[in-house]
Amino acid sequence: MGIIVQENTGLFHLQSAGMSYLIQIVDGYPIHVYWGDKLKHREPMADLLIHTPEKAGLDRLFQEYPQYGSGDFRNPAYQVELEDGTRITELKYEGYKLIRGKPSLAGLPAVYVENETEAETLELELKDAYSGLKVILIYTVFADRNVIIRSARLSNEGGKKLRLLRALSASIDFLDKGDLEIIYLSGAWAREGNITRRALHQGETRIDSKRGMSSHQLNPFSALVAPETTENHGEAYGFSLVYSGGFEAVAEVDSFGSTRISMGVNSFDFTWLLNPSDSFQTPEVVMVYSKQGLGEMSRTYHRLYRTRLCRGGYRDKERPILVNNWEATYFNFNADKLLAIAEEGAKLGIELFVLDDGWFGKRDSDNSSLGDWYEDRRKLPDGLADVAERTNRLGLKFGLWFEPEMISPDSDLYREHPDWCLHVPGRRRSEARWQLVLDYTRKEVRDYIYDSLSAIFSSVPVSYVKWDMNRALTEMGSASLPSERQSETAHRYVLGLYELLERITTAYPNILFESCSSGGGRFDPGMLYYMPQTWTSDNTDAVERLKIQYGTSLVYPVSTIGAHVSAVPNHQVGRITPLDFRGNVAMSGNFGYELDLTKFSDEEKEIVKNQVITYKQIRGLVQKGDLYRLKSPFEGNESAWMFVSEDKEEAVVYYFQVMAVPNATRRTLRLDGLNPELEYEVWSGDHGEKSSYGGDRLMQLGLHLAYHQKDYESGWFRLKAVKAG
């Protein structure tokens, strides 16, 4: 396993425990040969190559990093404009380098290794002799994971300026696979994570964001699958971009039935000036191969992202159960009201109280004060520290909401620095939610935010931060950039954000940071590198959350998915669902509450107390176990999933039915991921009934489900292996 180089034929064989990826240099072009199930390495393997330049020309050549303008008319991976205005380059192979482990990427989040034996990295050097453009194609293969990670570094080694018009991270051609289907996550605010699956046909299928953020509408993830691929069977090829700005993923089927997929920073409204000796590093694409369906693809992503993308002290810690005051009070609160909620939370066993929006400046609604990060003494006469310390004395940790990337026109900061927002001179400044976006390309802006937040963190015992970002970028221009670099603004904004996040999370390693962007508007791997969990959606309705959380789990681990119980009627859709149903949905993520606990009846408080006790018992399994999706909410009235420990000796199963079914037959639920040789003790979390079954029976015949004639029915089961003797 690792990377095998066959120099006499120019073959590079990247091999993991269950996967092979082959590249061959032919006439100076790196050609994609194969990606799929593991192949034994043999001498020779060059006969695997189907097309060569002399046989087919560039338009049928399966290039690893294709260019446009010299015979390949499909989607290119890069495009460069020379100083004379021409746009023709032709990269040819110069050499290679093997590196043990996985180098970091300058200024960008990236998957990492803790031991260099985990992975090996190949760098292929390509160069255009005329312009001096050099491209390093970077490939990392993991020994025990079916993962290839790709990126590219483009450098100007000539004597004249070059302008990048496109610089994608990866491109790959699938030989004669014109019948593939594409799967991706679509939606909008409050309905993120919808799974879309459709056939690819001749032409392009484009998934992208032009919003300066990864977006609610489309996530920087896609998968190519065979038509027969299901949750547990068939091949799946996943592509996930570690980036938090505008992106593109394009799948193109050509006239010969081959499919090319490429992914990276969105080429729309993007250029990057490379002066002599300058370089540009693309974000990385995490590519996963599965021959056991979408479920195994997801679990590969989950294990990798949970342990080798997320970082910091909370990476391996169990996440606290919280209560957030937002839907309880909105902007209308005082210290006594906050402490009343925190006090009730302490009685119920909750561990963290989070003060959301409205504590700073003169923030009585969402039309002012963003940027004025100092406490509002009208609401909190004794300050934040008093609320936090009183919360701590109750036995709860204290958390705080910020929206540090935004500025309100009605704020002291804007009145002092009106040029600190993204804007274009002479053009209107488009407001969304009465706010503008701070120009994070500017160091002085980032320094101001760092100093403002640091002043609070150094005086208030903050254990958790909810970092929100509530609008997309418009008027993408910067007063600090020259005219020839204005179209670099969107990417420079993201780089500036990453620089600030690295700085602040390093300075405050004991704070649990949670990312938010009106919910899931920036739920992407780039943010997870700095913040190990994300507020998945502003929609807290339990029925809607079945789809949102199920879809999000296609690529993101459960440990990153924030899920809360909220009040009914639900504030987003008006639906009334039982407290146990809401709890079971929310316990399938990072668990919390977002309501006024003081308004609960004694009966409801008892339910909540039991939910908290239950989650504390199972959260290690939920947050770190392997997820098996059993029934999809996108396909019917029922949903089900389960979490299985690494040693397969423990599991917890959740089942949901949305609407009652008349004259229903007895139902069974076939489980997954268990050891067929083990005997499991199974007991219902709802009824306390206990039985023993073999793992083979539970997976082949299933678990019998009790049925009650009611809407919004849910149930859960715990499984533990019975020890011999």
Side-chain angles (χ1 to χ4, degrees):
M1 292 180 287
I3 299 173
I4 304 165
V5 181
Q6 198 171 289
E7 292 197 358
N8 60 326
T9 60
L11 189 76
F12 299 87
H13 185 175
L14 287 67
Q15 191 181 69
S16 71
M19 177 191 72
S20 286
Y21 188 104
L22 278 79
I23 306 163
Q24 188 171 11
I25 308 301
V26 180
D27 292 345
Y29 299 101
I31 306 302
H32 179 71
V33 178
Y34 174 82
W35 181 30
D37 199 6
K38 184 177 179 180
L39 299 174
K40 294 180 180 178
H41 188 77
R42 298 178 174 87
E43 296 275 356
M45 298 186 78
D47 60 341
L48 292 170
L49 192 65
I50 303 299
H51 298 307
T52 59
E54 69 273 12
K55 289 181 180 178
L58 293 184
D59 203 34
R60 293 214 65 194
L61 198 62
F62 299 149
Q63 298 179 74
E64 285 288 305
Y65 206 67
Q67 70 264 346
Y68 178 82
S70 53
D72 188 338
F73 301 100
R74 295 163 293 171
N75 201 42
Y78 78 98
Q79 191 173 16
V80 177
E81 182 179 83
L82 281 59
E83 202 169 63
D84 62 7
T86 61
R87 297 167 306 286
I88 305 302
T89 58
E90 190 164 28
L91 296 171
K92 289 297 188 79
Y93 173 74
E94 296 266 306
Y96 75 93
K97 181 192 294 185
L98 294 180
I99 303 169
R100 290 177 63 82
K102 182 181 186 295
S104 60
L105 299 185
L108 287 167
V111 171
Y112 58 89
V113 296
E114 293 187 340
N115 188 307
E116 65 178 17
T117 62
E118 292 180 45
E120 191 171 8
T121 298
L122 168 68
E123 292 188 350
L124 295 181
E125 181 180 330
L126 314 177
K127 193 165 184 179
D128 176 56
Y130 180 82
S131 67
L133 174 69
K134 183 172 83 170
V135 175
I136 303 294
L137 300 183
I138 306 168
Y139 303 78
T140 296
V141 61
F142 284 78
D144 298 322
R145 308 175 194 263
N146 291 340
V147 174
I148 296 282
I149 298 181
R150 288 193 56 182
S151 67
R153 186 166 59 251
L154 298 89
S155 304
N156 182 359
E157 295 194 346
K160 298 181 179 180
K161 295 179 180 180
L162 298 174
R163 184 179 296 276
L164 302 180
L165 307 178
R166 175 193 302 255
L168 301 184
S169 300
S171 177
I172 185 169
D173 292 326
F174 288 83
L175 170 66
D176 300 332
K177 286 192 175 182
D179 62 344
L180 288 171
E181 296 178 346
I182 188 168
I183 297 176
Y184 55 92
L185 300 178
S186 59
W189 172 79
R191 49 183 173 87
E192 301 89 340
N194 284 272
I195 297 177
T196 299
R197 178 171 179 164
R198 56 192 175 92
L200 294 175
H201 300 288
Q202 187 172 341
E204 286 189 357
T205 298
R206 182 181 183 87
I207 302 161
D208 78 348
S209 170
K210 302 179 182 70
R211 298 169 182 264
M213 54 194 285
S214 44
S215 87
H216 301 86
Q217 288 71 21
L218 294 163
N219 195 270
F221 161 79
S222 62
L224 297 186
V225 299
E228 63 272 14
T229 297
T230 64
E231 182 70 18
N232 296 313
H233 304 285
E235 290 189 312
Y237 300 85
F239 302 85
S240 176
L241 183 66
V242 186
Y243 187 63
S244 306
F247 72 92
E248 66 178 77
V250 181
E252 180 181 11
V253 180
D254 68 14
S255 56
F256 300 101
S258 296
T259 300
R260 170 175 291 176
I261 186 166
S262 51
M263 183 178 256
V265 174
N266 202 324
S267 306
F268 176 81
D269 199 35
F270 164 88
T271 67
W272 196 272
L273 183 64
L274 287 180
N275 288 316
S277 301
D278 284 354
S279 294
F280 180 87
Q281 174 64 54
T282 72
E284 62 185 27
V285 174
V286 179
M287 299 165 35
V288 167
Y289 169 74
S290 167
K291 66 175 180 178
Q292 295 176 318
L294 294 169
E296 186 57 35
M297 178 199 73
S298 297
R299 287 185 288 277
T300 301
Y301 275 120
H302 295 172
R303 297 170 193 136
L304 182 73
Y305 283 177
R306 188 174 66 244
T307 64
R308 293 297 181 268
L309 179 67
C310 295
R311 301 179 299 161
Y314 277 93
R315 186 192 77 174
D316 300 323
K317 285 183 182 178
E318 293 181 355
R319 311 291 166 75
I321 302 170
L322 65 82
V323 59
N324 183 302
N325 76 298
W326 177 240
E327 289 192 17
T329 67
Y330 294 104
F331 296 100
N332 184 26
F333 59 82
N334 56 32
D336 289 341
K337 178 60 181 175
L338 298 176
L339 267 297
I341 296 173
E343 185 175 4
E344 199 60 55
K347 293 176 183 176
L348 298 173
I350 290 170
E351 301 158 316
L352 168 67
F353 172 74
V354 179
L355 171 53
D356 210 284
D357 196 354
W359 58 266
F360 55 93
K362 297 179 177 132
R363 184 80 163 173
D364 296 323
S365 67
D366 57 3
N367 62 3
S368 75
S369 300
L370 291 173
D372 298 342
W373 298 112
Y374 50 84
E375 56 209 357
D376 183 353
R377 292 280 179 159
R378 298 170 307 151
K379 295 179 182 177
L380 307 174
D382 296 315
L384 276 174
D386 172 69
V387 175
E389 288 162 4
R390 289 165 66 190
T391 299
N392 291 165
R393 287 198 292 271
L394 291 170
L396 279 72
K397 293 183 177 180
F398 180 72
L400 204 54
W401 178 96
F402 292 87
E403 193 173 0
E405 297 167 65
M406 300 295 151
I407 183 171
S408 301
D410 181 11
S411 68
D412 293 341
L413 181 64
Y414 188 79
R415 286 183 280 272
E416 186 176 351
H417 296 288
D419 65 326
W420 273 17
C421 66
L422 293 175
H423 68 280
V424 176
R427 304 291 182 179
R428 71 180 176 92
R429 301 182 180 191
S430 302
E431 294 181 25
R433 299 181 81 241
W434 297 281
Q435 62 194 53
L436 300 167
V437 183
L438 283 171
D439 183 357
Y440 268 33
T441 72
R442 301 175 65 166
K443 185 178 185 302
E444 64 269 31
V445 173
R446 303 194 302 272
D447 287 346
Y448 169 82
I449 293 297
Y450 178 85
D451 292 342
S452 297
L453 271 59
S454 292
I456 294 171
F457 298 157
S458 61
S459 60
V460 180
V462 175
S463 299
Y464 163 101
V465 165
K466 182 179 178 182
W467 182 296
D468 211 342
M469 189 259 197
N470 277 311
R471 59 156 293 181
L473 279 58
T474 56
E475 288 82 47
M476 285 195 228
S478 173
S480 69
L481 294 176
S483 59
E484 61 187 0
R485 291 192 179 273
Q486 285 297 317
S487 52
E488 300 176 8
T489 302
H491 184 60
R492 287 187 180 275
Y493 178 94
V494 178
L495 295 180
L497 171 64
Y498 289 156
E499 187 270 341
L500 175 61
L501 293 179
E502 182 69 29
R503 185 179 176 192
I504 205 160
T505 56
T506 300
Y508 300 97
N510 296 321
I511 294 178
L512 171 59
F513 286 86
E514 178 175 279
S515 174
C516 177
S517 181
S518 289
R522 201 167 59 185
F523 201 140
D524 60 63
M527 293 305 293
L528 293 181
Y529 184 74
Y530 305 98
M531 305 184 184
Q533 61 189 58
T534 299
W535 179 230
T536 318
S537 177
D538 282 346
N539 189 342
T540 54
D541 172 62
V543 174
E544 289 298 308
R545 272 301 188 109
L546 292 173
K547 291 182 178 178
I548 292 168
Q549 292 171 207
Y550 186 101
T552 301
S553 78
L554 205 60
V555 60
Y556 300 108
V558 172
S559 62
T560 68
I561 294 175
H564 297 171
V565 175
S566 64
V568 292
N570 177 262
H571 291 195
Q572 289 78 46
V573 300
R575 196 184 337 260
I576 298 175
T577 53
L579 185 54
D580 61 347
F581 187 91
R582 284 175 275 154
N584 287 339
V585 174
M587 280 194 281
S588 300
N590 284 330
F591 186 47
Y593 294 85
E594 192 148 338
L595 39 68
D596 191 343
L597 296 172
T598 67
K599 294 182 178 180
F600 272 151
S601 66
D602 290 342
E603 181 184 359
E604 288 172 322
K605 289 177 183 177
E606 194 62 30
I607 293 173
V608 169
K609 189 180 295 186
N610 287 330
Q611 288 176 344
V612 169
I613 291 171
T614 296
Y615 192 71
K616 288 178 180 179
Q617 293 171 348
I618 66 172
R619 67 176 155 190
L621 192 54
V622 170
Q623 294 172 8
K624 299 180 183 179
D626 286 331
L627 172 68
Y628 289 83
R629 295 181 293 260
L630 307 177
K631 286 183 177 290
S632 170
F634 295 98
E635 296 175 1
N637 190 42
E638 300 172 293
S639 305
W641 45 68
M642 62 187 290
F643 307 94
V644 183
S645 63
E646 186 177 352
D647 61 11
K648 298 188 179 297
E649 293 194 355
E650 289 188 73
V652 60
V653 182
Y654 281 98
Y655 167 83
F656 308 91
Q657 176 183 271
V658 176
M659 304 304 292
V661 177
N663 195 25
T665 59
R666 188 177 187 186
R667 298 166 300 170
T668 58
L669 181 65
R670 292 175 65 178
L671 307 188
D672 202 353
L674 303 175
N675 185 336
E677 304 301 323
L678 290 179
E679 191 82 7
Y680 291 90
E681 193 172 64
V682 182
W683 65 97
S684 167
D686 299 311
H687 311 296
E689 299 169 356
K690 188 179 293 187
S691 304
S692 292
Y693 303 100
D696 54 347
R697 171 184 164 158
L698 290 169
M699 291 191 289
Q700 299 302 323
L701 296 177
L703 191 64
H704 290 306
L705 300 173
Y707 180 73
H708 305 285
Q709 190 74 20
K710 63 178 183 178
D711 295 340
Y712 313 123
E713 181 186 8
S714 67
W716 63 279
F717 302 87
R718 288 195 68 180
L719 286 72
K720 281 193 176 182
V722 179
K723 299 293 185 182

